[in-house]
């Protein structure tokens, strides 16, 4: 089945590898939005019917100030998440490879002018030690993070990916490596793709040129348009799983939400695919950082923007990181989040050093808000009846890009992915869980399998689940 998108036409025509952001158009759309009850409820229903929203429709939701309608937006986002994704939460961990950087981004601890930052680049042995520590905790999915520096070129990134995949500790292995790194040229992206990466993330940080220039003072990242078109070059290199994001707190949050949706529209128009994930980090404290508080996003507005993003792009995964506190994460997960990091340590070499929950900002990019261990996060997810998942099946079965969207846009994720989530959770319970967590986890698995019986056969799943209990690993659909 070939996906049929219906991207909208905006003032700047969407063309491959060409800028597409018109700030005045985005502001005009926001200003003209009419958040009447009829409009808001019609738009929520359109999203619940699994249709992506236009900028104009998203702007209506952004303009809502009536508390009753805000609650309806949040309820709609929660219903949509349950309808498409179910109770499954995919888990990963970030692994920082190097913090050398030529850029001067005033909000970032890695920036070139920060003399307090201890510069470190992990070598092969250090990467192996980090991955072993991550595997021994139960992790299966990583995102590798790099500063922007000539040393961290495509060959370096590809080599570090291969090192990660080569580490096996007991039953542990990393089955999926995503990348968060600087934009490359097309040939560079091709080299990285050959190392079998999953998603390549590039966050625009801000879709407003003036705000972008204010915070990105020098270095390659100063070039707004090179960054904006970075994931176009990834698509040209046939990396069809890409992740976008904005750093909330640099500029008006409502504008940035529309910037993200405009980016989504660009991918649909040019590549017949949407982004695999959308991220929405909020600025946090960093070593020697300089942040203008004018556009600080409150907890209340942050929760709203997550709900609106969920409704605006029903088919795209949404990532919530440990920048946020445990309490905020608990609240926001309900509204549309499909992926979270857990057991996060963003210090270079921090996993193998086992420095616990103590942060050293002179060796890290920013301050995290949720330092809980992987086991603690999984235990709480189980308590709240979420289904923790380490699944990586789609990437290894070729269900990426447009092929992934064939499942996600119609809303098949809930049915298709639940079986793989159950199998990967069972692996974790067998290899890493306490006896108490193991019982709790299998009780939840029994409930989820009974739910699956309502619309699909489960005999083969039960057979594979027994195989996992007997010691087999990496069984997936």
């Amino acid at each position: 089945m070939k996906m049929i998108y219906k991207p909208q036409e905006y003032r700047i025509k969407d063309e491959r590898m060409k800028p597409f952001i018109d700030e005045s158009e985005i502001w005009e759309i926001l200003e003209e939005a009419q958040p009447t009850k009829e409009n808001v409820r019609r738009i929520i229903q359109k999203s619940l019917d699994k249709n992506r929203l236009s900028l104009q429709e998203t702007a209506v939701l952004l303009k809502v100030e009536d508390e009753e309608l805000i609650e309806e937006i949040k309820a709609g986002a929660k219903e949509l998440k349950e309808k498409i994704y179910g109770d499954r939460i995919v888990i990963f961990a970030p692994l920082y490879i190097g913090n050398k950087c030529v850029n001067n981004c005033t909000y970032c601890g890695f920036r070139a002018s920060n003399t307090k930052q201890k510069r470190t680049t992990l070598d092969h042995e250090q990467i192996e030690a980090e991955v072993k520590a991550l595997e021994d905790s139960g992790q299966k999915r990583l995102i590798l993070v790099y500063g922007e520096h000539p040393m961290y070129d495509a060959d370096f990134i590809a080599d570090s990916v291969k090192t990660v995949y080569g580490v096996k500790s007991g039953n542990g292995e990393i089955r999926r490596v995503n990348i968060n790194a600087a934009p490359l040229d097309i040939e560079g992206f091709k080299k990285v793709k050959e190392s079998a990466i999953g998603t390549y993330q590039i966050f625009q940080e801000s879709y407003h040129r003036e705000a972008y220039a204010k915070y990105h003072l020098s270095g390659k990242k100063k070039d707004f348009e090179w960054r904006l078109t970075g994931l176009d070059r990834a698509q040209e290199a046939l990396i069809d799983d890409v992740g976008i994001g904005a750093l909330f707190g640099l500029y008006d949050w409502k504008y940035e939400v529309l910037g993200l949706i405009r980016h989504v529209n660009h991918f649909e128009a040019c590549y017949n695919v949407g982004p695999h994930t959308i991220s929405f980090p909020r600025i946090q404290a960093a070593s020697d950082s300089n942040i203008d508080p004018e556009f600080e996003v409150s907890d209340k507005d942050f929760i709203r923007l997550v709900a609106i993003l969920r409704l605006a792009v029903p088919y795209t995964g949404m990532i919530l990181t440990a920048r946020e506190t445990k309490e905020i994460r608990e609240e926001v997960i309900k509204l549309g989040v499909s992926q979270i990091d857990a057991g996060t340590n963003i210090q270079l070499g921090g996993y193998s050093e086992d420095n616990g929950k103590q942060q050293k900002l002179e060796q890290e990019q920013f301050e995290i808000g949720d330092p809980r261990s992987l086991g603690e996060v999984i235990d709480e997810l189980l308590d709240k009846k979420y289904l923790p998942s380490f699944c990586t099946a789609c990437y290894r079965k070729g269900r990426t890009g447009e092929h992934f969207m064939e499942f996600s846009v119609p809303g098949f994720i809930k049915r298709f992915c639940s079986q793989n989530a159950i199998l990967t959770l069972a692996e974790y319970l067998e290899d890493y869980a306490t006896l108490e967590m193991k019982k709790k986890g299998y009780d939840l698995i029994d409930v989820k399998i009974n739910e699956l019986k309502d619309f699909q056969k489960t005999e083969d799943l039960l057979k594979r689940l027994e195989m996992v209990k007997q010691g087999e690993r990496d069984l997936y659909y």
Side-chain angles (χ1 to χ4, degrees):
M1 177 180 70
K2 184 177 180 61
M3 286 312 307
I4 300 175
Y5 290 96
K6 298 177 181 178
Q8 294 77 43
E9 292 184 4
Y10 294 105
R11 196 170 290 165
I12 297 176
K13 183 180 179 181
D14 283 298
E15 297 181 86
R16 292 185 175 201
M17 295 190 290
K18 291 186 178 181
F20 50 87
I21 292 292
D22 184 323
E23 287 92 339
S24 61
E25 179 182 35
I26 291 175
W27 273 119
E28 287 171 17
I29 289 171
L30 263 173
E31 289 165 3
E32 293 170 2
Q34 298 295 319
T36 64
K37 286 187 177 182
E38 294 76 13
N39 271 347
V40 171
R41 288 167 179 164
R42 173 184 57 81
I43 290 166
I44 292 172
Q45 187 56 53
K46 178 180 176 179
S47 177
L48 290 174
D49 291 336
K50 303 171 188 174
N51 297 301
R52 181 176 68 77
L53 304 182
S54 67
L55 265 69
Q56 289 83 355
E57 290 163 332
T58 307
V60 169
L61 301 185
L62 290 166
K63 287 287 287 291
V64 171
E65 296 299 334
D66 180 270
E67 290 297 331
E68 179 186 348
L69 286 178
I70 289 173
E71 290 305 312
E72 288 186 30
I73 289 170
K74 290 159 65 174
K78 183 177 180 182
E79 181 180 344
L80 182 68
K81 174 184 164 25
E82 293 170 352
K83 184 181 289 189
I84 293 183
Y85 292 92
D87 295 324
R88 184 182 60 101
I89 300 292
V90 175
I91 295 174
F92 69 95
L95 173 56
Y96 279 70
I97 302 297
N99 65 354
K100 292 183 179 180
C101 197
V102 299
N103 299 318
N104 263 310
C105 310
T106 63
Y107 51 82
C108 181
F110 288 176
R111 71 185 181 283
S113 62
N114 183 9
T115 57
K116 297 178 182 178
Q117 185 77 193
K118 180 181 177 182
R119 304 294 171 175
T120 305
T121 301
L122 302 185
D123 60 25
H124 281 275
E125 290 73 22
Q126 290 171 314
I127 293 174
E128 288 173 351
E130 290 291 280
V131 175
K132 182 181 184 302
L134 285 158
E135 290 178 352
D136 288 346
S137 74
Q139 299 282 5
K140 294 287 189 290
R141 303 166 54 101
L142 300 182
I143 183 162
L144 307 188
V145 185
Y146 309 77
E148 184 161 4
H149 191 274
M151 181 178 180
Y152 309 146
D153 60 10
D155 290 316
F156 179 89
I157 293 172
D159 187 57
S160 57
V161 171
K162 292 172 185 174
T163 300
V164 169
Y165 280 135
V167 178
K168 314 290 180 186
S169 181
N171 283 332
E173 61 179 346
I174 301 303
R175 299 171 183 165
R176 158 88 164 173
V177 175
N178 297 331
I179 301 295
N180 183 302
L184 304 172
D185 59 22
I186 294 173
E187 289 306 310
F189 279 119
K190 286 180 178 178
K191 287 182 181 179
V192 173
K193 177 180 170 58
E194 290 172 359
S195 66
I197 66 161
T199 301
Y200 200 109
Q201 284 185 350
I202 299 173
F203 299 165
Q204 184 60 27
E205 317 297 14
S206 174
Y207 286 91
H208 190 273
R209 286 174 175 82
E210 186 178 331
Y212 188 93
K214 176 182 177 180
Y215 287 100
H216 303 94
L217 303 180
S218 62
K220 187 70 174 177
K221 195 171 179 178
K222 185 178 180 181
D223 189 336
F224 177 92
E225 294 186 352
W226 172 258
R227 193 166 187 87
L228 184 65
T229 57
L231 291 174
D232 282 39
R233 294 189 296 280
Q235 294 281 0
E236 297 291 330
L238 304 182
I239 297 177
D240 52 9
D241 269 13
V242 297
I244 64 174
L247 181 56
F248 284 89
L250 298 184
Y251 191 57
D252 185 277
W253 68 269
K254 296 178 182 179
Y255 175 95
E256 299 293 10
V257 168
L258 289 188
L260 287 166
I261 305 309
R262 183 67 185 88
H263 208 157
V264 171
N265 191 85
H266 177 75
F267 285 131
E268 291 180 358
C270 294
Y271 297 102
N272 198 50
V273 70
H276 187 75
T277 58
I278 294 177
S279 297
F280 35 90
R282 273 195 295 182
I283 285 179
Q284 301 294 345
S287 170
D288 200 32
S289 61
N290 181 13
I291 303 166
D292 186 340
E294 178 183 0
F295 297 108
E296 182 178 348
V297 181
S298 68
D299 290 350
K300 183 178 179 181
D301 286 340
F302 183 70
I303 292 167
R304 281 178 65 192
L305 78 84
V306 174
I308 292 168
L309 278 171
R310 175 71 290 156
L311 290 171
V313 194
Y315 61 78
T316 292
M318 290 177 56
I319 298 177
L320 176 66
T321 72
R323 284 176 179 259
E324 299 298 333
T325 64
K326 170 180 177 289
E327 292 74 23
I328 290 294
R329 298 230 289 178
E330 288 175 4
E331 181 67 23
V332 171
I333 281 175
K334 305 171 189 174
L335 302 178
V337 169
S338 55
Q339 294 188 34
I340 63 170
D341 57 335
T344 297
N345 189 321
I346 61 174
Q347 178 185 325
L348 276 293
Y351 292 109
S352 55
E353 288 183 13
D354 191 23
N355 59 355
K357 299 175 182 179
Q358 179 183 359
Q359 285 196 256
K360 301 176 183 177
L361 286 184
E362 70 277 5
Q363 298 179 45
E364 303 180 13
Q365 189 178 20
F366 53 82
E367 187 174 23
I368 62 174
D370 186 356
R372 290 177 296 166
S373 69
L374 174 60
E376 288 173 317
V377 172
I378 289 180
D379 198 47
E380 180 167 292
L381 289 173
L382 293 174
D383 283 339
K384 296 183 180 301
K385 309 306 178 187
Y386 289 110
L387 183 60
S389 173
F390 297 90
C391 178
T392 59
C394 283
Y395 312 102
R396 292 184 289 161
K397 297 286 277 186
R399 297 191 293 262
T400 62
E402 184 181 345
H403 300 295
F404 176 78
M405 297 299 161
E406 291 170 5
F407 291 98
S408 65
V409 176
F412 294 159
I413 291 178
K414 182 176 178 180
R415 296 187 181 187
F416 193 82
C417 299
S418 294
Q419 297 179 95
N420 288 326
I422 286 168
L423 292 173
T424 59
L425 174 58
E427 287 184 338
Y428 180 87
L429 297 175
E430 292 294 328
D431 295 337
Y432 307 103
T434 63
L435 289 176
E436 181 182 358
M437 185 192 293
K438 190 173 182 179
K439 181 183 184 308
K440 189 187 304 182
Y442 275 118
D443 285 346
L444 181 64
I445 285 174
D446 288 342
V447 170
K448 297 302 177 185
I449 290 176
N450 283 329
E451 290 175 359
L452 287 175
K453 287 178 180 178
D454 291 339
F455 51 81
Q456 66 189 72
K457 295 180 179 180
T458 59
E459 290 81 1
D460 187 70
L461 173 60
L462 289 167
K463 179 180 176 182
R464 294 189 187 205
L465 186 60
E466 191 58 36
M467 292 166 69
V468 170
K469 293 178 180 179
Q470 297 303 316
E472 292 212 35
R473 295 293 178 267
D474 202 18
L475 304 174
Y476 56 91
Y477 293 93

